[in-house]
């Protein structure tokens, strides 16, 4: 059975939610969507499967979609598991991608704001799709970001 759905948000669990919010706002122009969240309770424990969970954070409107577009939900739990190594081939959600006008300039902005390199800028032809220039970087907490520009 197929359900009717509309994409709403992607959740990013942060070690320092305020630092990541500042990174995505300053580098990509994401816009805070109030209110800041500070939530806890049995309902949260039941929903997340995490006992005594407390969450702080906020949603950021992703650029390019207007006031009704999807958000990046950046939350920090009071209890944290050890982070996994940053790797493009790690199972699970792999990366968040932003279309940019200038991949090199966007890369420089990410690095200046505390991001790190994962790979090199490459340009290649994708059959029947066009030419893409892209690079993988990581935000200050090691989450992979793809910067891309298509030419058709």
């Amino acid at each position: 059975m197929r359900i009717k759905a509309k994409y709403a948000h992607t959740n990013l669990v942060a070690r320092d939610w305020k630092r990541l919010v500042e990174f995505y706002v300053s580098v990509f122009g994401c816009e805070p969507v109030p209110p800041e969240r500070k939530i806890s309770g049995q309902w949260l424990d039941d929903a997340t499967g995490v006992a005594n969970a407390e969450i702080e954070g906020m949603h950021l409107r992703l650029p390019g979609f207007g006031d009704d577009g999807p958000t990046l939900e950046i939350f920090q739990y009071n209890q944290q598991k050890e982070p996994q190594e940053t790797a493009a081939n790690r199972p699970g959600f792999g990366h968040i991608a932003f279309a940019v006008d200038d991949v090199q300039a966007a890369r420089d902005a990410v690095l200046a704001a505390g991001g790190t390199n994962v790979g090199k800028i490459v340009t290649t032809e994708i059959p029947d799709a066009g030419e893409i220039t892209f690079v993988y970087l990581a935000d200050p907490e090691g989450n992979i970001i793809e910067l891309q520009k298509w030419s058709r």
Side-chain angles (χ1 to χ4, degrees), residues 35-65:
E36 287 185 11
R37 308 305 206 290
K38 187 166 182 151
I39 54 179
S40 63
Q42 188 61 50
W43 65 270
L44 184 61
D45 298 2
D46 291 345
T48 63
V50 177
N52 303 308
E54 295 176 11
I55 297 174
E56 290 186 73
M58 71 181 326
H59 282 251
L60 299 177
R61 182 84 53 220
L62 292 166
F65 294 95

Side-chain angles (χ1 to χ4, degrees), residues 17-37:
W17 76 269
K18 290 181 180 181
R19 180 179 182 209
L20 276 191
V21 164
E22 175 57 31
F23 174 83
Y24 284 96
V25 167
S26 67
V27 175
F28 295 105
C30 295
E31 295 183 6
V33 179
E36 287 185 11
R37 308 305 206 290

Side-chain angles (χ1 to χ4, degrees), residues 102-108 117 119-123 132-137 147:
D102 183 330
V103 172
Q104 180 67 51
R107 176 190 167 276
D108 293 345
N117 283 308
K120 298 176 182 177
I121 296 175
V122 298
T123 300
I132 185 171
T133 299
F134 72 102
V135 64
Y136 281 4
L137 299 131
L147 305 175

Side-chain angles (χ1 to χ4, degrees), residues 7-12 30-34 37 58-63 65-75 96 98:
Y7 186 76
H9 73 264
T10 296
N11 173 263
L12 181 58
C30 295
E31 295 183 6
V33 179
R37 308 305 206 290
M58 71 181 326
H59 282 251
L60 299 177
R61 182 84 53 220
L62 292 166
F65 294 95
D67 292 341
D68 200 27
T71 61
L72 179 61
E73 176 186 71
I74 300 179
F75 278 174
I96 185 169
F98 291 92

